[in-house]
Amino acid sequence: MPLRIVVLTKPVPDPAAAAERLGADGRLDRAASPAVINGNDEYTLEASLKLVEAHGGEVTLLSMAPPSGLETMRKGLAMGAHRGVLVTDPALAGSDQGSTIQVLAAALRGLEYDLVLAGFDTSDGVGGVVGAAIASLLKLPYLSSAAKIEPDPDAGTVRVRRISPTGFDLLEAPMPALIVGTQLLGEPRYPSLKGIMAARSKEVVTKSLADLELDAKVVGGAASRSKVTGTTKPPARGATTVVRGTPEEGAKAIADLLASRRLI
Amino acid sequence: MNAIFEDVPYYPLVFVVFWGAVVVFGLAMARHLRVFAATRAAGPSPFEDVRARFAGLIQYAFVQTKMFKDPRAAILHLGIFWGFILLTIGTANVVTGGLVQQVLSAPFGGVLWAAILAMQNVVAVTVIAFILWAFERRLISRPARLTYNLDALLILGMIGTLVAAEFFAQAFEIARYGAQPGAFITSAIAQPLGGIGGLSRAGLETGFAILWWLHMLIVAAFLVYLPGSKHLHIATSFFNIYFRKLKPRGELPAMDLEAEDATFGLRTLADLGWNDLLDGFTCTECGRCQQACPAWNTGKPLNPKQFIMGIRDMSVEAEHGLPLIPNSPSAASFGLTDVINQAAMLSPIVDNAIPYDAVWDCVTCGACVEACPVLIEHVDKIVGLRRNLVLEDSRFPTELNGAFRNMEGVGNPWGQPPTTRTDWTKGLAFEIPLVADVAARGELGSLDVLYWVGCAAAFDERNRKVARAFATCLDAAGINFAILGQEESCTGDPARRMGNDYVFQMLASGNIETLNRYRMGERTIVTACPHCFNSIGNEYGQLGGNFRVIHHAAFLRELLANGRLRVVDADAGANGAGGTGRSVTLHDSCYLTRYNGIVDQPREVLGSIAGLELREMDNRGKNTFCCGAGGGRMWMEETRGTRINEARTSQALATGASTVATECPFCMTMLKDGLEAAQSGTGGTVKAIDIAELLAESLAPTQPGSRALPVLQ
């Protein structure tokens, strides 16, 4: 039985460019920085590609993003995903996590899948709730913090190794299920040139709010319940204290320092 | 039949034996060519650059200039080569029924032919002596670079026996049948042979017959044996030299990334060009490449010689089963078919001719190419293999993942935010304008040069100081210059050398567009990075970007030569920096010396600094030893063997110099690390310093047009 996997991918400002900036309205200035696929989403995408390589099947990318998200999605298609669904609508600008969850859940209702994979969190918003919330909205089994994913398509079940403070928990659930991955799933691959060329002709379906039968009064920027009220830069890091000397002297100096800050 | 060979019993058999061997030789060579014809890539055209190609033939094949890097081997080889050619006059005479002798005896009453016989006598003795010398090398002194096998000994034995047999046959012939004018050495030997106490008439006749036919049979056997021997270079090297790469050595082959159904890079034998297979059949296993290779010298699996031998072995494998005579009905009865062995043709080169790890060990320093006397091209093939691994299989050392993503994402392999690209200029005593601002003011025309900073100088802490020193020199010389700032991105050199031509072309196209927007084709670009220099100067043309670019070593030399820069006098000593009696060794950058022939300019810059003593390393100029960072190795872990930068560092320290001068940001990083590692705990104070820094701290305080005293660090 081939696997049908949907991977949630979000275009985020490239963290390496360090040009992330909020506009006057408190929203992300997407023109300020090149977009890339959210780093954690690449790990789940890599895991899903390995799964369909082993079991057969198809990987579908699902994003909610401005139209420029199409370009970012091509990078995931170049890695080997088979097709994409991009939910884009001017009314979605400024959506908070609540809206995002509603929209992605609605899009998933229109897709057939055995597994939905979400990254641990995103590097721009760092909310980390979208996966869990979609699972509860769609009443899907929720398997979080996955270090390893082992589906059994014939039995219709999936096993997940969930990292825990003491090691691993072994979870099993019937499919379809939603899994939130970790970086332990393995380094994402670098797309080959053939992959990049093939991605140009892969199908990406664009859907608007109307296509999903959602109302702009209920979801999107206008309906967002959380707002950015202000931003401050993190304080600059203080000067580094370098301790030199023998290990004994070093240990004493560090202990004194910690004691002086009442940390020990 | 003429009378010349009437003394040789069964002489007419020569025509069967020799010309028969020639036919076998021709058929065996044609069989090689059938595999050549089955390759895909286009080889060089014989009709382009004909003058340069013939000039190379004289330089490399007949004078053998490349051999003189090892003078003893050069003399040995040149002696045997020219001896063999001169003795071939005799062989040509034999196999043409004396035609050569008839023609050459005609002028000057036979003096010419006598002179040839005399010369052949001398040459024969020389060749025999040199063959004994060559045996000594292979059996007793045994240099490490050679490959030791029966093939080489057999060839030496054949040549030696052939020449000796011909030589002594002549002595017997003279003793029995009478004098041959000119043959003075063999005549001297003939004296005791035929004199009192010598051999009988019958004995002389038998001896002559045996020796003469031995010589002839070896000639024939040589021809039959040669096509399957490494010694085939005596036939192929002329062609390999004629068809050598004439483009700049630093220009990797262009690549069409939009080609439909193409194989990207080199995967199989079929993806090579016929000239690559010719490389294989030209390799004589002399091992000069291996001896020069920094990877091999530090215990890594890469051996350029074995790579080329591996290509030849694969090529021979591909003709396995092909009959000597094409389409012959009798071959079919032996189970031979007329089809090239497709399995061999389509088996991957990686892990066949070269181990996977070795493909990544290459620093693309070009030492192998420089060393090869018959102009075999190793580096382009290794990068071709990388291209295939990267572009088709995404198979490369995992560390490169980050470098590729960083170059693609933020335009520099360090992954630094582009917004910090001009941070190195902060705190300078003068302003460095951005080209965009100069253009906005409409003053592009007044710009002397564009300073292409490069990522290393923009982001690496140590190399930022080099950029500051170089900018200080430019300012002191009153040069009107500007930088691109955030509009500059990596030239793509590391990506290209790591096989990622997709990222190279992306970055290069972007840079070309930027440079053309500011009409930089009409100006001069100066850079302190040999890799940027090579890419922009030698490779951007492939993508339509034609720029005049000059490396800072050459530019600083020019500024010193035309008096725009002046250094303090040794005696003046007021500034104090110039005349401290600093001893310096210069580490040459591969991409400057071997790739672009820039050897003297940095030395002239150093020579201008008062009181500076230059202590050269053995491996210098075009024989420089790589720092270990080329070919994208800067971004790879060095897990196999010992570290190349440490090997180079010990060469530098061996000179006893107090400073290692560099001219490349990657060399700077590698040697700085190497010196720190070598001197940790020893109290050593040898430092790596760029030539621009050495110059900047020696500049005379009053410079025309300078706005500030030169500052360093």
Side-chain angles (χ1 to χ4, degrees), chain B residues 63-100:
Chain B
V63 189
Q64 304 177 355
T65 52
K66 286 239 174 191
M67 293 288 289
F68 281 89
K69 284 173 187 269
D70 181 351
R72 284 165 59 91
I75 291 165
L76 173 61
H77 187 269
L78 208 58
I80 296 176
F81 170 80
W82 278 105
F84 201 80
I85 286 194
L86 292 172
L87 292 175
T88 300
I89 299 176
T91 310
N93 189 43
V94 169
V95 302
T96 54
L99 187 66
V100 177

mmCIF file of all heavy atoms in Angstrom, chain B residues 63-100:
data_model
loop_
_atom_site.group_PDB
_atom_site.id
_atom_site.type_symbol
_atom_site.label_atom_id
_atom_site.label_comp_id
_atom_site.label_asym_id
_atom_site.label_seq_id
_atom_site.Cartn_x
_atom_site.Cartn_y
_atom_site.Cartn_z
ATOM 1 N N VAL B 63 61.648 19.167 -27.349
ATOM 2 C CA VAL B 63 62.620 19.712 -26.398
ATOM 3 C C VAL B 63 62.315 19.194 -24.982
ATOM 4 O O VAL B 63 63.186 19.142 -24.129
ATOM 5 C CB VAL B 63 62.633 21.258 -26.436
ATOM 6 C CG1 VAL B 63 63.789 21.797 -25.620
ATOM 7 C CG2 VAL B 63 62.719 21.750 -27.876
ATOM 8 N N GLN B 64 61.073 18.829 -24.758
ATOM 9 C CA GLN B 64 60.644 18.207 -23.495
ATOM 10 C C GLN B 64 60.938 19.088 -22.286
ATOM 11 O O GLN B 64 61.482 18.625 -21.283
ATOM 12 C CB GLN B 64 61.287 16.815 -23.353
ATOM 13 C CG GLN B 64 60.952 15.939 -24.550
ATOM 14 C CD GLN B 64 61.613 14.578 -24.521
ATOM 15 O OE1 GLN B 64 62.420 14.275 -23.650
ATOM 16 N NE2 GLN B 64 61.261 13.741 -25.473
ATOM 17 N N THR B 65 60.506 20.361 -22.395
ATOM 18 C CA THR B 65 60.832 21.312 -21.326
ATOM 19 C C THR B 65 60.291 20.870 -19.968
ATOM 20 O O THR B 65 60.906 21.110 -18.952
ATOM 21 C CB THR B 65 60.248 22.696 -21.653
ATOM 22 O OG1 THR B 65 58.862 22.529 -21.947
ATOM 23 C CG2 THR B 65 60.958 23.318 -22.824
ATOM 24 N N LYS B 66 59.106 20.240 -19.978
ATOM 25 C CA LYS B 66 58.499 19.869 -18.696
ATOM 26 C C LYS B 66 59.344 18.840 -17.957
ATOM 27 O O LYS B 66 59.274 18.738 -16.734
ATOM 28 C CB LYS B 66 57.094 19.321 -18.920
ATOM 29 C CG LYS B 66 56.095 20.386 -19.266
ATOM 30 C CD LYS B 66 54.989 20.394 -18.241
ATOM 31 C CE LYS B 66 54.044 21.549 -18.479
ATOM 32 N NZ LYS B 66 53.138 21.725 -17.361
ATOM 33 N N MET B 67 60.109 18.053 -18.715
ATOM 34 C CA MET B 67 60.910 17.008 -18.080
ATOM 35 C C MET B 67 61.999 17.604 -17.203
ATOM 36 O O MET B 67 62.488 16.966 -16.280
ATOM 37 C CB MET B 67 61.562 16.122 -19.139
ATOM 38 C CG MET B 67 60.600 15.282 -19.948
ATOM 39 S SD MET B 67 59.917 13.932 -18.992
ATOM 40 C CE MET B 67 61.348 12.862 -18.838
ATOM 41 N N PHE B 68 62.398 18.864 -17.503
ATOM 42 C CA PHE B 68 63.570 19.409 -16.829
ATOM 43 C C PHE B 68 63.309 19.864 -15.396
ATOM 44 O O PHE B 68 64.201 20.370 -14.731
ATOM 45 C CB PHE B 68 64.208 20.520 -17.673
ATOM 46 C CG PHE B 68 65.037 19.945 -18.781
ATOM 47 C CD1 PHE B 68 64.462 19.661 -20.017
ATOM 48 C CD2 PHE B 68 66.372 19.617 -18.577
ATOM 49 C CE1 PHE B 68 65.202 19.076 -21.027
ATOM 50 C CE2 PHE B 68 67.121 19.036 -19.588
ATOM 51 C CZ PHE B 68 66.538 18.758 -20.822
ATOM 52 N N LYS B 69 62.054 19.658 -14.921
ATOM 53 C CA LYS B 69 61.822 19.861 -13.491
ATOM 54 C C LYS B 69 62.611 18.821 -12.701
ATOM 55 O O LYS B 69 62.882 18.978 -11.526
ATOM 56 C CB LYS B 69 60.326 19.720 -13.173
ATOM 57 C CG LYS B 69 59.521 20.930 -13.579
ATOM 58 C CD LYS B 69 58.033 20.661 -13.404
ATOM 59 C CE LYS B 69 57.200 21.806 -13.971
ATOM 60 N NZ LYS B 69 56.911 22.838 -12.984
ATOM 61 N N ASP B 70 62.918 17.693 -13.364
ATOM 62 C CA ASP B 70 63.759 16.658 -12.772
ATOM 63 C C ASP B 70 64.923 16.465 -13.747
ATOM 64 O O ASP B 70 64.848 15.635 -14.661
ATOM 65 C CB ASP B 70 62.944 15.363 -12.611
ATOM 66 C CG ASP B 70 63.754 14.238 -11.973
ATOM 67 O OD1 ASP B 70 64.980 14.397 -11.816
ATOM 68 O OD2 ASP B 70 63.145 13.211 -11.639
ATOM 69 N N PRO B 71 65.998 17.249 -13.623
ATOM 70 C CA PRO B 71 67.018 17.317 -14.689
ATOM 71 C C PRO B 71 67.666 15.964 -15.001
ATOM 72 O O PRO B 71 67.924 15.662 -16.164
ATOM 73 C CB PRO B 71 68.058 18.286 -14.117
ATOM 74 C CG PRO B 71 67.355 19.053 -13.054
ATOM 75 C CD PRO B 71 66.315 18.141 -12.506
ATOM 76 N N ARG B 72 67.913 15.139 -13.991
ATOM 77 C CA ARG B 72 68.545 13.845 -14.258
ATOM 78 C C ARG B 72 67.662 12.987 -15.148
ATOM 79 O O ARG B 72 68.103 12.437 -16.157
ATOM 80 C CB ARG B 72 68.804 13.114 -12.936
ATOM 81 C CG ARG B 72 69.994 13.673 -12.160
ATOM 82 C CD ARG B 72 69.958 13.158 -10.726
ATOM 83 N NE ARG B 72 70.003 11.698 -10.665
ATOM 84 C CZ ARG B 72 71.130 10.995 -10.568
ATOM 85 N NH1 ARG B 72 72.277 11.615 -10.480
ATOM 86 N NH2 ARG B 72 71.106 9.690 -10.528
ATOM 87 N N ALA B 73 66.375 12.924 -14.769
ATOM 88 C CA ALA B 73 65.444 12.133 -15.574
ATOM 89 C C ALA B 73 65.313 12.735 -16.967
ATOM 90 O O ALA B 73 65.149 12.017 -17.961
ATOM 91 C CB ALA B 73 64.083 12.080 -14.884
ATOM 92 N N ALA B 74 65.411 14.070 -17.051
ATOM 93 C CA ALA B 74 65.259 14.741 -18.345
ATOM 94 C C ALA B 74 66.382 14.349 -19.289
ATOM 95 O O ALA B 74 66.156 14.039 -20.457
ATOM 96 C CB ALA B 74 65.239 16.258 -18.137
ATOM 97 N N ILE B 75 67.608 14.349 -18.779
ATOM 98 C CA ILE B 75 68.770 14.005 -19.619
ATOM 99 C C ILE B 75 68.670 12.544 -20.059
ATOM 100 O O ILE B 75 68.833 12.207 -21.233
ATOM 101 C CB ILE B 75 70.082 14.273 -18.848
ATOM 102 C CG1 ILE B 75 70.241 15.780 -18.683
ATOM 103 C CG2 ILE B 75 71.274 13.659 -19.560
ATOM 104 C CD1 ILE B 75 71.282 16.182 -17.660
ATOM 105 N N LEU B 76 68.328 11.696 -19.105
ATOM 106 C CA LEU B 76 68.160 10.274 -19.395
ATOM 107 C C LEU B 76 67.133 10.070 -20.503
ATOM 108 O O LEU B 76 67.368 9.388 -21.499
ATOM 109 C CB LEU B 76 67.721 9.554 -18.113
ATOM 110 C CG LEU B 76 67.334 8.089 -18.195
ATOM 111 C CD1 LEU B 76 68.500 7.252 -18.691
ATOM 112 C CD2 LEU B 76 66.883 7.576 -16.838
ATOM 113 N N HIS B 77 65.971 10.742 -20.334
ATOM 114 C CA HIS B 77 64.885 10.545 -21.281
ATOM 115 C C HIS B 77 65.205 11.148 -22.642
ATOM 116 O O HIS B 77 64.968 10.536 -23.682
ATOM 117 C CB HIS B 77 63.594 11.156 -20.727
ATOM 118 C CG HIS B 77 62.395 10.851 -21.556
ATOM 119 N ND1 HIS B 77 61.971 11.672 -22.574
ATOM 120 C CD2 HIS B 77 61.538 9.792 -21.554
ATOM 121 C CE1 HIS B 77 60.904 11.154 -23.148
ATOM 122 N NE2 HIS B 77 60.621 9.998 -22.555
ATOM 123 N N LEU B 78 65.750 12.350 -22.613
ATOM 124 C CA LEU B 78 66.047 13.030 -23.869
ATOM 125 C C LEU B 78 67.085 12.234 -24.663
ATOM 126 O O LEU B 78 67.000 12.125 -25.888
ATOM 127 C CB LEU B 78 66.567 14.448 -23.575
ATOM 128 C CG LEU B 78 66.308 15.507 -24.641
ATOM 129 C CD1 LEU B 78 64.827 15.627 -24.915
ATOM 130 C CD2 LEU B 78 66.867 16.852 -24.200
ATOM 131 N N GLY B 79 68.066 11.648 -23.959
ATOM 132 C CA GLY B 79 69.096 10.840 -24.619
ATOM 133 C C GLY B 79 68.476 9.642 -25.318
ATOM 134 O O GLY B 79 68.749 9.375 -26.494
ATOM 135 N N ILE B 80 67.605 8.940 -24.595
ATOM 136 C CA ILE B 80 66.990 7.744 -25.190
ATOM 137 C C ILE B 80 66.062 8.148 -26.331
ATOM 138 O O ILE B 80 66.040 7.538 -27.396
ATOM 139 C CB ILE B 80 66.249 6.922 -24.118
ATOM 140 C CG1 ILE B 80 67.252 6.402 -23.081
ATOM 141 C CG2 ILE B 80 65.482 5.765 -24.761
ATOM 142 C CD1 ILE B 80 66.626 5.653 -21.917
ATOM 143 N N PHE B 81 65.301 9.251 -26.116
ATOM 144 C CA PHE B 81 64.339 9.706 -27.132
ATOM 145 C C PHE B 81 65.043 10.047 -28.445
ATOM 146 O O PHE B 81 64.705 9.513 -29.498
ATOM 147 C CB PHE B 81 63.589 10.937 -26.601
ATOM 148 C CG PHE B 81 62.748 11.645 -27.626
ATOM 149 C CD1 PHE B 81 61.497 11.152 -27.969
ATOM 150 C CD2 PHE B 81 63.186 12.815 -28.245
ATOM 151 C CE1 PHE B 81 60.709 11.806 -28.903
ATOM 152 C CE2 PHE B 81 62.403 13.474 -29.181
ATOM 153 C CZ PHE B 81 61.161 12.965 -29.511
ATOM 154 N N TRP B 82 66.050 10.928 -28.372
ATOM 155 C CA TRP B 82 66.718 11.338 -29.609
ATOM 156 C C TRP B 82 67.553 10.197 -30.184
ATOM 157 O O TRP B 82 67.641 10.040 -31.399
ATOM 158 C CB TRP B 82 67.567 12.587 -29.375
ATOM 159 C CG TRP B 82 66.705 13.808 -29.429
ATOM 160 C CD1 TRP B 82 66.282 14.555 -28.375
ATOM 161 C CD2 TRP B 82 66.105 14.372 -30.599
ATOM 162 N NE1 TRP B 82 65.459 15.560 -28.806
ATOM 163 C CE2 TRP B 82 65.330 15.478 -30.180
ATOM 164 C CE3 TRP B 82 66.130 14.050 -31.957
ATOM 165 C CZ2 TRP B 82 64.605 16.269 -31.065
ATOM 166 C CZ3 TRP B 82 65.401 14.845 -32.837
ATOM 167 C CH2 TRP B 82 64.645 15.935 -32.396
ATOM 168 N N GLY B 83 68.143 9.379 -29.321
ATOM 169 C CA GLY B 83 68.873 8.215 -29.798
ATOM 170 C C GLY B 83 67.962 7.294 -30.577
ATOM 171 O O GLY B 83 68.280 6.852 -31.682
ATOM 172 N N PHE B 84 66.795 7.043 -30.018
ATOM 173 C CA PHE B 84 65.833 6.158 -30.649
ATOM 174 C C PHE B 84 65.424 6.713 -32.020
ATOM 175 O O PHE B 84 65.359 5.980 -33.006
ATOM 176 C CB PHE B 84 64.612 6.030 -29.738
ATOM 177 C CG PHE B 84 63.801 4.810 -29.993
ATOM 178 C CD1 PHE B 84 64.194 3.580 -29.483
ATOM 179 C CD2 PHE B 84 62.626 4.878 -30.739
ATOM 180 C CE1 PHE B 84 63.443 2.444 -29.713
ATOM 181 C CE2 PHE B 84 61.881 3.745 -30.973
ATOM 182 C CZ PHE B 84 62.280 2.530 -30.458
ATOM 183 N N ILE B 85 65.207 8.026 -32.088
ATOM 184 C CA ILE B 85 64.804 8.635 -33.358
ATOM 185 C C ILE B 85 65.924 8.496 -34.399
ATOM 186 O O ILE B 85 65.683 8.119 -35.548
ATOM 187 C CB ILE B 85 64.440 10.123 -33.147
ATOM 188 C CG1 ILE B 85 63.084 10.191 -32.437
ATOM 189 C CG2 ILE B 85 64.418 10.870 -34.476
ATOM 190 C CD1 ILE B 85 62.433 11.536 -32.461
ATOM 191 N N LEU B 86 67.172 8.762 -33.989
ATOM 192 C CA LEU B 86 68.278 8.684 -34.948
ATOM 193 C C LEU B 86 68.507 7.244 -35.399
ATOM 194 O O LEU B 86 68.792 6.990 -36.570
ATOM 195 C CB LEU B 86 69.548 9.267 -34.317
ATOM 196 C CG LEU B 86 69.474 10.786 -34.086
ATOM 197 C CD1 LEU B 86 70.664 11.271 -33.297
ATOM 198 C CD2 LEU B 86 69.396 11.518 -35.437
ATOM 199 N N LEU B 87 68.350 6.319 -34.450
ATOM 200 C CA LEU B 87 68.551 4.912 -34.833
ATOM 201 C C LEU B 87 67.437 4.427 -35.743
ATOM 202 O O LEU B 87 67.600 3.475 -36.500
ATOM 203 C CB LEU B 87 68.627 4.046 -33.578
ATOM 204 C CG LEU B 87 69.878 4.294 -32.723
ATOM 205 C CD1 LEU B 87 69.815 3.500 -31.438
ATOM 206 C CD2 LEU B 87 71.134 3.944 -33.504
ATOM 207 N N THR B 88 66.286 5.099 -35.672
ATOM 208 C CA THR B 88 65.170 4.723 -36.534
ATOM 209 C C THR B 88 65.516 4.928 -38.006
ATOM 210 O O THR B 88 64.960 4.269 -38.882
ATOM 211 C CB THR B 88 63.927 5.543 -36.141
ATOM 212 O OG1 THR B 88 63.635 5.238 -34.786
ATOM 213 C CG2 THR B 88 62.728 5.193 -36.995
ATOM 214 N N ILE B 89 66.485 5.822 -38.277
ATOM 215 C CA ILE B 89 66.933 6.000 -39.670
ATOM 216 C C ILE B 89 67.446 4.650 -40.193
ATOM 217 O O ILE B 89 67.134 4.246 -41.321
ATOM 218 C CB ILE B 89 68.067 7.050 -39.757
ATOM 219 C CG1 ILE B 89 67.561 8.399 -39.244
ATOM 220 C CG2 ILE B 89 68.583 7.165 -41.190
ATOM 221 C CD1 ILE B 89 68.644 9.478 -39.190
ATOM 222 N N GLY B 90 68.200 3.943 -39.343
ATOM 223 C CA GLY B 90 68.721 2.637 -39.735
ATOM 224 C C GLY B 90 67.598 1.643 -39.970
ATOM 225 O O GLY B 90 67.586 0.904 -40.955
ATOM 226 N N THR B 91 66.626 1.654 -39.048
ATOM 227 C CA THR B 91 65.500 0.725 -39.183
ATOM 228 C C THR B 91 64.715 1.038 -40.451
ATOM 229 O O THR B 91 64.330 0.137 -41.202
ATOM 230 C CB THR B 91 64.579 0.837 -37.956
ATOM 231 O OG1 THR B 91 65.387 0.747 -36.786
ATOM 232 C CG2 THR B 91 63.536 -0.257 -37.948
ATOM 233 N N ALA B 92 64.511 2.348 -40.700
ATOM 234 C CA ALA B 92 63.775 2.745 -41.902
ATOM 235 C C ALA B 92 64.498 2.253 -43.149
ATOM 236 O O ALA B 92 63.876 1.819 -44.127
ATOM 237 C CB ALA B 92 63.636 4.266 -41.935
ATOM 238 N N ASN B 93 65.820 2.268 -43.097
ATOM 239 C CA ASN B 93 66.604 1.801 -44.236
ATOM 240 C C ASN B 93 66.373 0.307 -44.466
ATOM 241 O O ASN B 93 66.155 -0.146 -45.583
ATOM 242 C CB ASN B 93 68.081 2.085 -43.970
ATOM 243 C CG ASN B 93 68.924 1.836 -45.192
ATOM 244 O OD1 ASN B 93 68.540 2.216 -46.288
ATOM 245 N ND2 ASN B 93 70.055 1.165 -45.006
ATOM 246 N N VAL B 94 66.379 -0.443 -43.372
ATOM 247 C CA VAL B 94 66.225 -1.895 -43.464
ATOM 248 C C VAL B 94 64.870 -2.251 -44.069
ATOM 249 O O VAL B 94 64.758 -3.090 -44.946
ATOM 250 C CB VAL B 94 66.392 -2.527 -42.072
ATOM 251 C CG1 VAL B 94 65.963 -3.992 -42.097
ATOM 252 C CG2 VAL B 94 67.821 -2.395 -41.585
ATOM 253 N N VAL B 95 63.809 -1.576 -43.563
ATOM 254 C CA VAL B 95 62.467 -2.014 -43.963
ATOM 255 C C VAL B 95 62.038 -1.431 -45.298
ATOM 256 O O VAL B 95 60.950 -1.720 -45.776
ATOM 257 C CB VAL B 95 61.435 -1.661 -42.870
ATOM 258 C CG1 VAL B 95 61.839 -2.301 -41.547
ATOM 259 C CG2 VAL B 95 61.293 -0.159 -42.725
ATOM 260 N N THR B 96 62.908 -0.594 -45.901
ATOM 261 C CA THR B 96 62.570 -0.078 -47.230
ATOM 262 C C THR B 96 63.519 -0.637 -48.276
ATOM 263 O O THR B 96 63.671 -0.065 -49.359
ATOM 264 C CB THR B 96 62.658 1.465 -47.247
ATOM 265 O OG1 THR B 96 63.953 1.841 -46.768
ATOM 266 C CG2 THR B 96 61.594 2.096 -46.387
ATOM 267 N N GLY B 97 64.202 -1.705 -47.922
ATOM 268 C CA GLY B 97 65.104 -2.321 -48.887
ATOM 269 C C GLY B 97 66.294 -1.435 -49.242
ATOM 270 O O GLY B 97 66.810 -1.471 -50.345
ATOM 271 N N GLY B 98 66.708 -0.601 -48.296
ATOM 272 C CA GLY B 98 67.901 0.212 -48.503
ATOM 273 C C GLY B 98 67.637 1.537 -49.186
ATOM 274 O O GLY B 98 68.565 2.235 -49.589
ATOM 275 N N LEU B 99 66.401 1.896 -49.284
ATOM 276 C CA LEU B 99 66.036 3.133 -49.970
ATOM 277 C C LEU B 99 66.691 4.350 -49.318
ATOM 278 O O LEU B 99 67.235 5.225 -49.993
ATOM 279 C CB LEU B 99 64.509 3.263 -49.941
ATOM 280 C CG LEU B 99 63.919 4.420 -50.749
ATOM 281 C CD1 LEU B 99 64.166 4.193 -52.232
ATOM 282 C CD2 LEU B 99 62.427 4.555 -50.483
ATOM 283 N N VAL B 100 66.663 4.396 -47.985
ATOM 284 C CA VAL B 100 67.195 5.544 -47.261
ATOM 285 C C VAL B 100 68.688 5.687 -47.546
ATOM 286 O O VAL B 100 69.191 6.772 -47.821
ATOM 287 C CB VAL B 100 66.929 5.382 -45.749
ATOM 288 C CG1 VAL B 100 67.533 6.538 -44.962
ATOM 289 C CG2 VAL B 100 65.432 5.271 -45.473
#
